[in-house]
Amino acid sequence: LKEERILLAMDFSLWVISLTALVLLISFIYLRYRKSPATDPPPELLHIPAEISLENMQASLPKTSVPNSTGVPLVTLTRSQLREYNGENGKPIYVSFQGNIYDVTPSAKFYGPGEPWHMMAGCTVEVALGKQSTDPANFTESNLSALTSHERLVIERWKSIFETKYKVVGHLVDG
């Protein structure tokens, strides 16, 4: 009878150890392969390679002076005139963001001919950046009223980058 109790106790101990090991294994697998909402981007976001992410772009660019601090007169361009400033034929690369025209030539590795964001060169970009879209229709649109609150937040992040990294060289006018 005493031997049977010892055997039962050993069987119970092995059962507890096995169950504990199984629970630990399942926990490890769950923690290793679960999807975290904090790290997974929303599916509607445009996939941008890490080497041209906002953070890398901001860190790699030189700081520029405050707009108008150079005393250079500002240009006034229409959308069709702006299209000419795309980095081709020796011209600088300009983009329009919220009515200001920024010289993004220092970032030719992003906006220059043959580069990933060249489609933005010479365009109005706030809607495309807000929607994180490469749809050509978004590079001519500047009406923000149809954007979601998330898209407006993205535009605010870009506004900070444009204001700190690039010089304002002019203003966009209708025409």
Side-chain angles (χ1 to χ4, degrees), residues 68 70-76 94 168-171:
N68 300 327
T70 61
V72 176
L74 299 177
V75 297
T76 303
Y94 292 169
V168 173
V169 295
H171 299 288

Side-chain angles (χ1 to χ4, degrees), residues 93-95 97 100-104 162-163 166-169:
I93 306 168
Y94 292 169
V95 299
F97 187 84
N100 289 325
I101 298 173
Y102 292 89
D103 183 357
V104 297
F162 277 98
E163 289 176 345
Y166 305 114
K167 286 191 256 180
V168 173
V169 295

